[in-house]
Amino acid sequence: VVSTQSTGHYYITNNLSHRMKPILLQAHERSLTKILYNKDGDLLFTASKHNLPNVWWSINGERLGTYNGHNGAIWDMAVSSDTTQLITASADQSCIIWDCETGKVLHQLTAKSPVRSCGFSLTNNILCFTTDKAMNQPCFIKFFDLRDKEQVETNSPFRDIQIDDSKVNRMIWGTVEDYVITGHENGQICQYDWKTGERLRVDHSHDALIKDLQLSKDRTMLITASKDTTAKLFDAKTFQFLKSYKTDRPVNSAAISPIKHHILLGGGQEAMEVTTSHTKSGKFEARFFHLIFEEEIGRVKGHFGPINTLAFHPNGKQYSSGAEDGYVRIHDFDQSYYDFEYDF
């Protein structure tokens, strides 16, 4: 951990780096696109531009298995709250529903363009995925009721919302099950009512591609990560702007700590320019910001490429990062992290 200095004092001391040893997971041949924990936090799911998602024990980094069935890059994935089913969104124009335990393909939902993002509703009854504006096809948000087997078996969503302006790059379910939140290519974030197909709210605070959307543990706050070098905090229901976290690099992922007033940001220099720069100049560290005061309080080095995806463990005692270098790093916080108090 590299300490940062602001207003004349250090927030996190340098000797942290001698104690916080990460677990390095190496299984993906290409850059990471998504990592996530299940609700209990015992499992870590990872996906990359390779076609094989993986699942690991989060406590020791032991790999449990892979999910074999896609023929293209995996852009997004989600796990049900009871950890019985996993869904993956792929560039092979499909969304697969997996049996979490066995890795068996339960259903394969197809689209006419690459599937970009996916998610389960809070009750796990409704599945949503979004498609790219590509191959002469518009961007769609599609909804399936998993209680109706005919919808899944015949690939017939009960709701199709066509997006005519800027395509959806990220989608998550909102505070309650009434709506989904989407992040778009032009930087806007929107709410859509899945029952009516109506757009409820739109916000234009960002002016570049939205790379990531995550909610706080109580689902009241929304953090956005954008290519415009900022992450912003909103009220998840009203889209009231709360805080902004400014960096000097594109932000690819942002997460909210479930136990402390901390925001974790990851990003870095554009992937295609990485080979021309030194590790330090590429700015590939994970950066901690204070949620309320918007000031940087620490950095964690380690990756050799831009960080593409971040996730906090549900208990807040661990976080994982996945990067362009193909590695996943699991970090368990040591005692000095919990003892640290912001000096204001």
Side-chain angles (χ1 to χ4, degrees):
V1 174
V2 179
S3 61
T4 59
Q5 192 171 21
S6 180
T7 62
H9 55 265
Y10 283 89
Y11 299 140
I12 297 180
T13 55
N14 281 323
N15 61 3
L16 221 62
S17 59
H18 300 302
R19 296 195 297 270
M20 201 167 83
K21 305 277 189 201
I23 301 171
L24 206 59
L25 311 184
Q26 184 181 10
H28 295 283
E29 296 175 9
R30 300 182 64 194
S31 56
L32 272 292
T33 55
K34 180 75 174 182
I35 57 175
L36 65 95
Y37 290 91
N38 65 337
K39 190 176 181 181
D40 295 330
D42 58 332
L43 299 179
L44 178 69
F45 297 86
T46 62
S48 73
K49 290 180 182 176
H50 189 49
N51 63 349
L52 292 174
N54 285 259
V55 59
W56 319 71
W57 286 121
S58 64
I59 192 168
N60 60 7
E62 179 188 346
R63 183 163 67 163
L64 294 171
T66 58
Y67 296 89
N68 195 349
H70 278 298
N71 294 312
I74 313 296
W75 293 123
D76 196 13
M77 60 183 173
V79 62
S80 59
S81 56
D82 56 4
T83 320
T84 57
Q85 293 183 338
L86 175 76
I87 52 174
T88 49
S90 174
D92 66 6
Q93 303 177 34
S94 73
C95 177
I96 292 183
I97 307 172
W98 310 83
D99 182 302
C100 253
E101 185 179 1
T102 65
K104 179 185 174 185
V105 176
L106 301 177
H107 300 285
Q108 185 162 12
L109 306 171
T110 57
K112 293 181 180 179
S113 62
V115 181
R116 180 61 59 171
S117 58
C118 59
F120 284 108
S121 65
L122 274 71
T123 58
N124 304 319
N125 290 330
I126 311 294
L127 180 153
C128 174
F129 70 77
T130 71
T131 63
D132 277 354
K133 185 178 181 180
M135 305 166 71
N136 294 321
Q137 295 292 324
C139 171
F140 280 104
I141 308 175
K142 296 176 180 283
F143 295 89
F144 293 82
D145 191 330
L146 298 178
R147 294 166 294 187
D148 183 353
K149 290 186 178 178
E150 187 180 347
Q151 284 185 30
V152 178
E153 288 167 358
T154 62
N155 201 42
S156 306
F158 71 85
R159 175 76 59 207
D160 257 342
I161 304 174
Q162 183 172 325
I163 310 297
D164 292 318
D165 46 6
S166 182
K167 80 161 190 180
V168 175
N169 194 57
R170 275 282 175 246
M171 181 280 307
I172 56 171
W173 283 85
T175 305
V176 290
E177 198 161 306
D178 295 339
Y179 61 92
V180 294
I181 301 170
T182 56
H184 296 253
E185 201 170 32
N186 63 359
Q188 70 184 21
I189 54 172
C190 303
Q191 285 180 5
Y192 286 94
D193 187 324
W194 59 267
K195 293 173 184 172
T196 64
E198 177 188 1
R199 186 165 76 176
L200 304 175
R201 288 183 177 83
V202 60
D203 181 272
H204 298 282
S205 297
H206 287 290
D207 53 22
L209 173 70
I210 301 293
K211 299 283 285 183
D212 194 18
L213 298 170
Q214 292 194 36
L215 293 176
S216 57
K217 189 173 184 179
D218 61 6
R219 305 185 72 84
T220 59
M221 292 186 294
L222 168 72
I223 186 87
T224 60
S226 173
K227 211 171 177 180
D228 67 7
T229 72
T230 66
K232 296 183 189 295
L233 192 69
F234 298 89
D235 182 290
K237 190 171 184 179
T238 65
F239 274 4
Q240 178 189 353
F241 172 75
L242 301 173
K243 299 288 179 182
S244 180
Y245 310 95
K246 299 178 178 65
T247 71
D248 54 357
R249 68 202 74 176
V251 183
N252 294 335
S253 190
I256 304 171
S257 169
I259 59 170
K260 293 179 85 72
H261 292 307
H262 291 171
I263 298 289
L264 179 60
L265 304 185
Q269 178 189 33
E270 287 289 337
M272 59 185 171
E273 299 168 6
V274 167
T275 53
T276 64
S277 68
H278 191 272
T279 312
K280 291 180 180 175
S281 61
K283 301 174 180 173
F284 308 137
E285 310 101 332
R287 303 175 68 172
F288 286 83
F289 282 76
H290 196 282
L291 184 144
I292 298 166
F293 299 109
E294 304 174 342
E295 285 197 7
E296 188 177 352
I297 55 175
R299 298 186 186 186
V300 179
K301 287 185 175 181
H303 284 292
F304 293 94
I307 294 174
N308 291 335
T309 175
L310 291 165
F312 271 106
H313 191 286
N315 67 12
K317 297 179 179 180
Q318 179 189 91
Y319 86 89
S320 295
S321 57
E324 198 75 23
D325 58 14
Y327 288 95
V328 177
R329 300 172 76 90
I330 301 177
H331 296 83
D332 286 294
F333 296 116
D334 54 29
Q335 190 56 43
S336 56
Y337 173 78
Y338 309 110
D339 294 341
F340 163 72
E341 291 185 8
Y342 185 84
D343 187 7
F344 51 94

